[in-house]
Amino acid sequence: MSLSRLETRLYSVLVTVAKEHGVRSRRGFRIQFPLTHEDLSFLVGAHRVSITRALKALKESGRLSQEGKTLIVYPEEAA
């Protein structure tokens, strides 16, 4: 499976989780509960190592950041 397709699926899941369970901030949505790479791999149907790579790519693209264990998701429609 290509990494970009996995990134898209993972980003979509993170946006959904952030909008439903996160806290809205000026910069995006904060997911303030821990989501392990294993949790995310279950949600998108990918290996944990692939999730690690996809998260790194999402952070590098500016669609996601992390402060400690808190993920901040930047929905594209808010950009």
Side-chain angles (χ1 to χ4, degrees):
M1 175 183 313
S2 84
L3 183 59
S4 63
R5 183 169 169 218
L6 175 58
E7 283 176 43
T8 302
R9 288 188 5 237
L10 178 59
Y11 180 70
S12 176
V13 166
L14 288 171
V15 168
T16 300
V17 169
K19 285 183 177 180
E20 291 179 6
H21 305 288
V23 176
R24 182 138 178 89
S25 69
R26 288 180 301 152
R27 297 177 21 204
F29 289 90
R30 300 174 69 85
I31 301 174
Q32 296 180 305
F33 52 89
L35 281 172
T36 66
H37 292 200
E38 187 174 351
D39 294 334
L40 294 171
S41 69
F42 176 77
L43 291 172
V44 297
H47 293 287
R48 185 194 54 77
V49 175
S50 299
I51 295 297
T52 301
R53 290 184 190 125
L55 284 171
K56 181 179 178 186
L58 288 171
K59 289 174 187 174
E60 289 173 353
S61 72
R63 296 190 290 174
L64 177 73
S65 67
Q66 189 168 1
E67 295 175 0
K69 294 189 179 200
T70 299
L71 289 175
I72 303 168
V73 181
Y74 307 105
E76 291 177 343
E77 65 269 9

